[in-house]
Amino acid sequence: MLSFMRFLQRNKLYTFIELFGMILSLAFVILIFVYSTQELTVPKDQKDVNRIYALGSGSYMGMTYSTAEHVCPQIPEIEDYTRIAWTDRDVVVGDSYFATRAAAVDDDFLQFFAFNMLEGDATSVLSSSQNVIISKQFANAAFGGDAIGKPLSVIYGGEKVELIVGGVMDDFKNTIFQPTDIIFSIEHPVLYSEMAIGDPLDHWGSTDIFVKIVEGSDRKVIEDKVLKQYEALWPNYGSFIKGVSMTRMDEIYFSELNSQYRHGNKRMVWNLLMVGFVLLISAVLNYLNLSVAQSGKRAREMAMRRMLGSSKFAILVRYFLESLCFCAISFSVAFLVALSLKGSASSILGVSLSLIPDIKLLLMYIVMLVVIAVVAGGIQYLLVSKIKAIDVVKGEFALRSKNVFTKIFIIIQSSICIVLLTMAFTMQKQMNYLKNRPRGYNYDNMIFIGVHSFNDRNSFNLLLDELRKLPFVKSAGISNGTPGGYSGGQFLTLADGSEMVMRVVKVDSTCFNMYGFKVVSTFEDAIPGSAFYTQEGINAVGGVDAARSMDRLPCCGIIEPFKYGSALYNDPAAYDYRVLSAVQIIPNTLNWMYGIMVLTDGDYSDAVAEIDKMWKEKREEFTSNPAPIEITPFKDMIYGDLEGPRNTLMLIFTFMIVAIIISLMGLFAMCSYFTGQNAKNIAINRVYGAQIRDVVIQYSKSFLWPILVSIVVAVPVAIYFMDRYLNTNPDRISIPYELLVIAVLISLVFSMMVIVGQMLDAATDDPVKSLKKN
């Protein structure tokens, strides 16, 4: 290896470019591999994962409280089942308040999923409804770790329900379940039971059902049997029962069904894997091209080794070991770079990355390095093995390698840059469109306040009075849900027998005016309980007369269309029904409310701070529940889901910059190598009177046609990926061909700047010095 190390030291520019490109690419590849491996293995190590399914209907996962006990015993292929109902609970431990994520479960929950109980008896802890299981994290936060046998209070309906900690379980890790603080019995007489929830066959989606099927059973057969049971339980609901969804546990994470479980973005995982692969290929090509170009300088050494008795196999092994050594050094430094970037990458990707490799990932890294070393060493060997002594003397080997690999390198690298540039520009334009498109209502300077601890309208009225006293508050009104989403809906049966879902934003008259809905016409006064439809809604229900006579949602007028939901909202009901929106004036008799919209004239941060301060000072006048209120700028509710695409865009921009840097550095090195090899010819041309401009043009042509070929290659590829990406958006822009032109021009300009710069530098050198040097 000493001769190889000396060679690298003598050619510092090429060594730096090769190392920099390989290290930077491998660092991102490591992060991408870790992220993808974690995402694609959720849930990890789950017992019986291939036999556990979640039951649902249509596009929804989850059914009613007593669906399982009516359905599952009737189907012999279902071996066992368990139920889960997810909810948020306000918990008090001593004098401390905690907002917790809770689950009401059957007493066999832990055994069914084989979760790890750290303290307590998993088989009997929930046999008493007074017991509660808490997570390790919550045990440390609330009890300092020593929790078994200690009491905690769950606030429910304004009262405190006492429970005893009967078990501590390990925190959920790499599973579909959201982080959960407390788990109690689904049969608790107050917190969650048949008596507490009302009709046990109502409230679809309130309870999730997991079934364990007999090994070897046919999913389709079970689905057909489950559907018959659904139809028997709800004979009058017609098309509401939209088939049966049976989702295997390892399919839930990437499922598009509406559920309360952790969801990953499979498209993003595969896209990042593809980008990581492209980056790796780009770096390897860069390394290969520069190594092959430099092989001409080592040709004399290899020819001498052959003359001294080295076999061809020994030369092949030497090249392989040199490449493996170089890749191992690059990987080691890249791993350290990846460690330094782990925090930022975890924040952008929204997951906690663990770079400690398991055996599978370690083997993947080793295989990757060996493959790179074999390819790099093999290509160099194939070229050197054909060397004849006379070729070495004439330098024809360097000429051949330059004519082939340099062109391939430029074509591939330039194509990658053009595609990445185009995708980044397209994603940015699509995001700007989603953010700036008209929504049909006001949202500037508005803050949504969610309160779930009130039991009557009087408490809301008291809070409204206090809010209106604040100096920066221009107006405040009740808003159960918002046009930005989080609203309930009603199933309406139309005259032709078909059904639709009407998403209903329930507001008082003050809030209606704050939103600024534009009224087209009114049929009568907007009395409480009536609703404003859009013209599309009027047409859908069969005209004005039909809309005005609707029993549950009588229409009092028409408003202009508005965009319901957040920027990326895709209503799950749209999979099964036509979905429209309406705005209902809250009835005077309605007590169950949960939202207030505030219109401010000040800065968001100042307004949020002042509202929070007022709540802390006045809370006891409204409620005995110590829970804080939810204070969210309305804009964040609408555009908050753009954070994921924004992070993806940031990654694409990062990869784009890395690819461009590697490409330009490689192009710079190759131009430098080319001008060095042709320094004598350039000097002779200059001596015989050639103008600098003519020399630059003449020698730049060798690099120009590969760049033009890369444009031809990149354009259809970029168009394909642009269209594919835009089709993932429910409301997309047309393909922005102008951005493709801009990307091509940017790539062309940067490439020509490097090429012309190097040629100009060579053409302006003193020809006498160049001739003496050569």
Side-chain angles (χ1 to χ4, degrees):
M1 290 294 166
L2 290 177
S3 63
F4 177 60
M5 293 300 176
R6 282 195 297 268
F7 173 76
L8 294 178
Q9 187 177 10
R10 290 169 184 166
N11 296 272
K12 294 182 176 62
L13 174 64
Y14 300 98
T15 301
F16 171 76
I17 292 175
E18 287 177 349
L19 275 174
F20 181 84
M22 189 68 78
I23 289 170
L24 204 56
S25 296
L26 284 176
F28 283 108
V29 168
I30 290 170
L31 292 172
I32 290 172
F33 275 11
V34 168
Y35 166 73
S36 302
T37 302
Q38 289 185 192
E39 291 292 282
L40 294 173
T41 56
V42 176
K44 188 177 182 181
D45 303 326
Q46 174 66 55
K47 182 182 178 182
D48 296 325
V49 68
N50 293 323
R51 295 201 295 133
I52 297 177
Y53 291 79
L55 289 186
S57 174
S59 59
Y60 289 86
M61 188 182 300
M63 292 300 292
T64 71
Y65 182 86
S66 64
T67 299
E69 63 186 75
H70 286 88
V71 172
C72 297
Q74 311 303 320
I75 302 174
E77 289 88 350
I78 295 180
E79 179 182 301
D80 195 9
Y81 72 88
T82 195
R83 298 172 298 169
I84 310 171
W86 301 97
T87 181
D88 295 328
R89 295 295 185 188
D90 299 319
V91 172
V92 175
V93 177
D95 296 327
S96 301
Y97 163 82
F98 299 91
T100 68
R101 173 73 171 170
V105 303
D106 281 318
D107 58 8
D108 64 346
F109 171 78
L110 294 174
Q111 300 98 290
F112 189 93
F113 291 108
F115 285 131
N116 184 28
M117 178 74 90
L118 302 177
E119 298 180 70
D121 185 357
T123 61
S124 62
V125 63
L126 290 180
S127 59
S128 170
S129 62
Q130 298 306 305
N131 285 342
V132 64
I133 302 170
I134 63 175
S135 69
K136 178 182 177 182
Q137 184 178 20
F138 185 71
N140 292 333
F143 298 97
D146 183 16
I148 295 294
K150 294 185 178 178
L152 60 79
S153 299
V154 177
I155 299 174
Y156 183 80
E159 302 295 330
K160 290 184 178 180
V161 178
E162 297 289 335
L163 297 174
I164 301 297
V165 178
V168 177
M169 66 177 296
D170 204 358
D171 300 322
F172 291 141
K173 297 175 182 176
N174 206 23
T175 179
I176 61 171
F177 298 114
Q178 300 280 4
T180 304
D181 301 300
I182 66 172
I183 297 174
F184 55 85
S185 173
I186 201 168
E187 297 180 356
H188 191 282
V190 177
L191 294 178
Y192 209 98
S193 65
E194 185 172 325
M195 183 179 296
I197 66 170
D199 185 352
L201 285 175
D202 201 353
H203 308 294
W204 272 272
S206 63
T207 307
D208 295 327
I209 305 168
F210 284 87
V211 299
K212 189 177 295 183
I213 67 173
V214 175
E215 194 161 355
S217 298
D218 188 318
R219 184 195 303 200
K220 182 64 172 62
V221 171
I222 300 175
E223 287 178 346
D224 292 340
K225 291 182 178 181
V226 172
L227 181 58
K228 290 181 180 179
Q229 295 298 319
Y230 283 178
E231 292 171 343
L233 284 174
W234 299 285
N236 299 321
Y237 277 82
S239 62
F240 178 77
I241 301 299
K242 288 285 185 176
V244 174
S245 66
M246 274 187 66
T247 312
R248 203 171 64 195
M249 193 170 181
D250 58 349
E251 299 170 348
I252 292 174
Y253 189 65
F254 291 119
S255 169
E256 294 185 358
L257 294 179
N258 184 36
S259 75
Q260 299 188 63
Y261 297 89
R262 290 180 59 218
H263 277 84
N265 188 332
K266 198 168 189 177
R267 186 181 296 110
M268 181 177 177
V269 172
W270 288 112
N271 285 344
L272 285 180
L273 275 175
M274 183 172 63
V275 171
F277 179 74
V278 168
L279 279 178
L280 184 60
I281 292 297
S282 179
V284 170
L285 283 174
N286 190 42
Y287 168 58
L288 276 174
N289 194 52
L290 294 177
S291 296
V292 169
Q294 292 300 301
S295 293
K297 294 185 177 181
R298 299 192 69 195
R300 191 181 302 277
E301 175 193 341
M302 295 306 171
M304 186 64 68
R305 290 183 183 279
R306 290 292 309 280
M307 292 174 63
L308 294 175
S310 292
S311 65
K312 290 186 176 181
F313 180 75
I315 300 296
L316 173 62
V317 170
R318 171 175 292 276
Y319 273 120
F320 168 73
L321 291 176
E322 290 176 357
S323 298
L324 186 61
C325 176
F326 184 87
C327 291
I329 293 172
S330 300
F331 182 85
S332 300
V333 179
F335 192 83
L336 297 177
V337 173
L339 278 175
S340 68
L341 296 175
K342 185 183 77 168
S344 299
S346 297
S347 177
I348 292 173
L349 294 169
V351 296
S352 178
L353 298 179
S354 174
L355 293 188
I356 301 174
D358 57 19
I359 187 65
K360 292 181 180 178
L361 199 57
L362 188 60
L363 288 174
M364 188 185 302
Y365 290 149
I366 293 173
V367 169
M368 178 180 67
L369 294 178
V370 170
V371 168
I372 295 173
V374 168
V375 172
I379 290 178
Q380 292 181 74
Y381 167 76
L382 287 175
L383 291 170
V384 174
S385 63
K386 299 176 182 179
I387 297 176
K388 297 179 181 179
I390 190 65
D391 293 332
V392 176
V393 173
K394 293 181 177 180
E396 292 178 0
F397 170 73
L399 182 63
R400 287 198 299 269
S401 67
K402 173 206 57 149
N403 286 334
V404 178
F405 287 97
T406 297
K407 307 303 185 295
I408 295 174
F409 166 78
I410 293 174
I411 292 170
I412 295 177
Q413 291 284 52
S414 296
S415 299
I416 290 172
C417 291
I418 291 171
V419 172
L420 286 177
L421 275 168
T422 305
M423 288 304 300
F425 293 160
T426 302
M427 292 173 70
Q428 183 64 61
K429 184 168 184 178
Q430 173 66 27
M431 283 186 59
N432 289 339
Y433 166 74
L434 293 174
K435 189 171 183 179
N436 298 321
R437 63 180 177 175
R439 304 203 67 84
Y441 57 83
N442 300 327
Y443 53 81
D444 286 325
N445 298 321
M446 296 174 71
I447 295 176
F448 181 77
I449 300 176
V451 184
H452 303 274
S453 58
F454 289 177
N455 298 319
D456 54 51
R457 186 160 185 166
N458 183 56
S459 297
F460 258 84
N461 291 336
L462 291 174
L463 179 56
L464 279 170
D465 290 340
E466 291 299 327
L467 287 169
R468 288 164 181 162
K469 293 177 184 178
L470 296 175
F472 58 84
V473 173
K474 297 173 67 175
S475 184
I478 296 175
S479 183
N480 277 4
T482 74
Y486 311 99
S487 297
Q490 292 191 14
F491 284 89
L492 304 178
T493 302
L494 307 182
D496 61 0
S498 63
E499 294 178 330
M500 63 175 288
V501 176
M502 187 73 83
R503 290 295 180 193
V504 184
V505 183
K506 299 181 179 181
V507 300
D508 61 12
S509 56
T510 301
C511 199
F512 183 90
N513 294 328
M514 287 166 54
Y515 284 127
F517 293 113
K518 296 177 181 177
V519 178
V520 176
S521 62
T522 57
F523 312 131
E524 57 214 10
D525 291 338
I527 61 174
S530 62
F532 287 91
Y533 286 38
T534 63
Q535 185 62 55
E536 186 180 8
I538 294 285
N539 297 339
V541 300
V544 172
D545 292 339
R548 295 179 66 180
S549 61
M550 297 294 288
D551 290 334
R552 290 184 290 176
L553 200 65
C555 178
C556 63
I558 302 176
I559 57 175
E560 289 188 2
F562 64 93
K563 293 283 186 181
Y564 175 79
S566 57
L568 293 178
Y569 181 77
N570 190 11
D571 194 331
Y575 291 111
D576 304 312
Y577 300 94
R578 186 177 183 183
V579 181
L580 297 173
S581 306
V583 181
Q584 183 183 30
I585 306 301
I586 291 177
N588 295 326
T589 56
L590 185 65
N591 278 328
W592 187 76
M593 289 168 290
Y594 58 88
I596 291 175
M597 189 64 73
V598 174
L599 177 62
T600 73
D601 60 3
D603 182 78
Y604 273 133
S605 57
D606 292 340
V608 169
E610 287 298 319
I611 293 172
D612 185 58
K613 179 181 177 183
M614 181 276 294
W615 173 259
K616 290 176 179 177
E617 292 175 351
K618 302 281 187 177
R619 178 190 60 78
E620 293 183 357
E621 299 178 17
F622 312 130
T623 177
S624 60
N625 191 333
I629 55 175
E630 169 194 341
I631 308 173
T632 310
F634 189 29
K635 266 190 176 181
D636 291 351
M637 298 175 69
I638 299 172
Y639 299 115
D641 56 3
L642 287 178
E643 182 179 356
R646 191 179 295 112
N647 289 340
T648 303
L649 179 61
M650 187 184 304
L651 288 174
I652 295 296
F653 267 116
T654 302
F655 295 145
M656 176 192 71
I657 292 171
V658 170
I660 290 175
I661 290 174
I662 293 174
S663 175
L664 293 179
M665 290 181 69
L667 186 59
F668 174 85
M670 288 310 304
C671 288
S672 177
Y673 171 77
F674 177 79
T675 55
Q677 291 293 310
N678 290 275
K680 185 175 182 179
N681 292 334
I682 293 173
I684 291 173
N685 287 337
R686 292 281 288 114
V687 168
Y688 279 96
Q691 299 295 314
I692 293 176
R693 182 187 64 182
D694 298 331
V695 172
V696 170
I697 293 174
Q698 178 185 347
Y699 287 93
S700 296
K701 288 179 181 178
S702 180
F703 291 91
L704 181 60
W705 75 260
I707 292 177
L708 297 178
V709 171
S710 73
I711 294 173
V712 174
V713 171
V715 166
V717 175
I719 292 174
Y720 169 78
F721 282 110
M722 289 163 71
D723 188 58
R724 183 177 175 182
Y725 161 72
L726 291 173
N727 282 334
T728 63
N729 293 274
D731 191 3
R732 56 163 284 180
I733 60 175
S734 57
I735 295 178
Y737 293 104
E738 72 280 3
L739 297 181
L740 176 57
V741 174
I742 293 173
V744 168
L745 291 176
I746 290 175
S747 178
L748 184 62
V749 167
F750 274 108
S751 298
M752 292 310 298
M753 285 175 61
V754 172
I755 294 169
V756 173
Q758 285 290 291
M759 299 306 167
L760 186 62
D761 184 59
T764 54
D765 275 348
D766 186 346
V768 176
K769 291 182 179 179
S770 297
L771 289 171
K772 286 182 178 180
K773 188 184 297 183
N774 286 274

